[in-house]
Amino acid sequence: MMEEILAILLAVAIAAALYYLMKKALTLLINAVAGLVTLWLLNYFNILAWFGAPDLQINLVTILICALGGLPGALVLVLLHLVGITI
């Protein structure tokens, strides 16, 4: 009897942990896609030329920063690029 109760409690705890991790993973995925789309749109519409700066290079480093940082990562890349620090 006690083993069944422990097994049910363990299953509920595992299900709750998986739900929490999947919810956070979906949020991170959406944020990463938003950052990459922002970089692509900035280059496609040539928006940085309005400020006298060339387009941002989309390479492995900028993709990793946007994938890990999401929209704030893209904003940091744009601000660094406008100041003159290229990554």
Side-chain angles (χ1 to χ4, degrees):
M1 178 72 172
M2 192 64 143
E3 292 86 20
E4 290 89 11
I5 293 174
L6 286 176
I8 291 172
L9 287 176
L10 183 63
V12 169
I14 289 173
L18 283 175
Y19 172 74
Y20 179 75
L21 289 175
M22 292 302 281
K23 193 167 107 173
K24 290 295 181 183
L26 183 64
T27 303
L28 288 174
L29 180 69
I30 291 171
N31 199 13
V33 169
L36 291 172
V37 167
T38 301
L39 273 187
W40 182 78
L41 287 173
L42 284 172
N43 285 339
Y44 184 76
F45 291 114
N46 206 11
I47 292 175
L48 291 177
W50 298 347
F51 300 104
D55 286 340
L56 272 168
Q57 291 182 355
I58 296 180
N59 53 24
L60 183 62
V61 176
T62 57
I63 289 173
L64 285 175
I65 290 173
C66 278
L68 296 175
L71 203 52
L75 180 65
V76 167
L77 282 173
V78 168
L79 291 176
L80 287 174
H81 187 70
L82 288 175
V83 172
I85 302 171
T86 57
I87 294 180

